[in-house]
């Protein structure tokens, strides 16, 4: 199975901050990388697919980058509704695997 | 607007079979895949498997010997059965739709999720 490793596991930030979360795959997955946002008690929500394509309806302050094994999710200006946990997911080959998550907390 | 809703027992005894159903409303089964994902504090988000609209399936090798995912298009439902459960199977279980996005290369995504249902394995 492909292993997905996110960093950091948590971070503290303020509204308006620029936030970057990284995800590393244990082998090359080209651009088969998705990002999800999850809030407590809710299901994950798709934000980014194909490493950098914004899902319909997702604010443009979210962006993704990378290919191969190294990827990043950036929030350009953190909003109050963005405090949540973020997961990367490989869709290169099943079993699809998820990173362990990065929690963005209020500073 | 496609919506998914999980249903099934919230408590299952060890060694028994966990059975969950996902009801799909507001959309067609074809040509999508339909997936089960679970989430536990210990293992995070874990892909269980998917079933296609035609009934073919894919399972996580770590669960393959115990899992069956089936589809009933007439009832707009797909189901998960996980046999011989232990405490390690305690988790929130989500059903989700799998679609493929892209123009030249297609990428699988889990674009619509149910709200999730918690299953506890305990005697």
């Amino acid at each position: 199975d492909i292993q997905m490793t996110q960093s950091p596991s948590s971070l503290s930030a303020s509204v308006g901050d620029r936030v970057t979360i990284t995800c590393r795959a244990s082998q090359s997955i080209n651009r088969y990388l998705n990002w999800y946002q999850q809030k407590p008690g809710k299901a994950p929500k798709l934000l980014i697919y194909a490493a950098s394509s914004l899902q319909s309806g997702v604010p443009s302050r979210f962006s993704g980058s990378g290919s191969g094994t190294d990827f990043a999710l950036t929030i350009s200006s953190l909003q109050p509704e963005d405090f949540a946990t973020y997961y990367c997911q490989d869709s290169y080959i099943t079993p699809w695997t998820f990173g362990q998550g990065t929690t963005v907390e209020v500073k | 607007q496609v919506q998914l809703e999980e249903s099934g027992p919230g408590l299952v005894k060890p060694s028994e079979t966990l059975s969950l159903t996902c009801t799909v409303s507001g959309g067609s089964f074809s040509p999508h895949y339909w997936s089960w994902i679970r989430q536990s504090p210990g293992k995070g988000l874990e892909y269980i498997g998917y079933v296609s609209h035609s009934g073919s399936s894919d399972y996580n090798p770590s669960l393959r010997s115990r899992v069956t995912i089936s589809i009933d298009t007439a009832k707009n439902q797909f189901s998960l059965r996980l046999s011989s459960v232990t405490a390690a199977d305690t988790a929130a279980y989500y059903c989700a739709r799998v679609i493929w996005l892209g123009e030249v290369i297609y990428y699988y995504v889990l674009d619509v999720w149910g709200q999730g249902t918690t299953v506890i394995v305990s005697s």
Side-chain angles (χ1 to χ4, degrees), chain B residues 28-47:
Chain B
S28 169
F29 270 103
S30 177
H32 313 301
Y33 294 168
W34 303 89
S35 182
W36 288 96
I37 307 290
R38 68 181 182 180
Q39 184 173 32
S40 61
K43 296 194 75 174
L45 287 162
E46 182 179 24
Y47 166 78

Side-chain angles (χ1 to χ4, degrees), chain B residues 95-122:
Chain B
C95 59
R97 185 177 74 170
V98 182
I99 66 170
W100 31 100
L101 298 174
E103 295 183 354
V104 177
I105 299 174
Y106 292 98
Y107 299 86
Y108 290 111
V109 300
L110 300 151
D111 76 322
V112 180
W113 297 60
Q115 83 282 2
T117 187
T118 297
V119 178
I120 297 172
V121 178
S122 175

Side-chain angles (χ1 to χ4, degrees), chain B residues 7-103:
Chain B
S7 59
L11 180 64
V12 181
K13 290 182 168 56
S15 79
E16 294 190 345
T17 296
L18 178 160
S19 294
L20 296 174
T21 296
C22 183
T23 301
V24 180
S25 58
S28 169
F29 270 103
S30 177
H32 313 301
Y33 294 168
W34 303 89
S35 182
W36 288 96
I37 307 290
R38 68 181 182 180
Q39 184 173 32
S40 61
K43 296 194 75 174
L45 287 162
E46 182 179 24
Y47 166 78
I48 299 172
Y50 68 66
V51 63
S52 74
H53 65 282
S54 61
S56 61
S57 57
D58 178 88
Y59 301 132
N60 191 321
S62 68
L63 299 169
R64 183 173 288 140
S65 64
R66 299 193 292 130
V67 69
T68 302
I69 300 175
S70 57
I71 194 166
D72 186 337
T73 55
K75 293 184 177 180
N76 288 337
Q77 294 177 335
F78 64 105
S79 299
L80 169 69
R81 286 174 58 85
L82 183 65
S83 63
S84 305
V85 298
T86 69
D89 296 309
T90 293
Y93 285 77
Y94 294 97
C95 59
R97 185 177 74 170
V98 182
I99 66 170
W100 31 100
L101 298 174
E103 295 183 354

Side-chain angles (χ1 to χ4, degrees), chain A residues 2-76:
Chain A
I2 296 172
Q3 308 303 315
M4 307 300 292
T5 304
Q6 287 181 234
S7 62
S9 56
S10 65
L11 64 90
S12 298
S14 301
V15 172
D17 284 354
R18 181 182 182 88
V19 168
T20 297
I21 299 166
T22 63
C23 177
R24 175 165 288 178
S26 60
Q27 66 181 73
S28 176
I29 58 171
N30 199 332
R31 296 178 61 82
Y32 291 86
L33 190 284
N34 304 323
W35 288 99
Y36 298 85
Q37 175 195 66
Q38 186 179 33
K39 296 182 178 179
K42 301 292 187 181
K45 171 189 172 184
L46 177 66
L47 299 176
I48 301 280
Y49 67 94
S52 61
S53 295
L54 198 66
Q55 170 67 340
S56 176
V58 174
S60 59
R61 63 181 180 272
F62 291 93
S63 64
S65 63
S67 66
T69 61
D70 293 308
F71 303 88
L73 172 70
T74 298
I75 309 172
S76 60

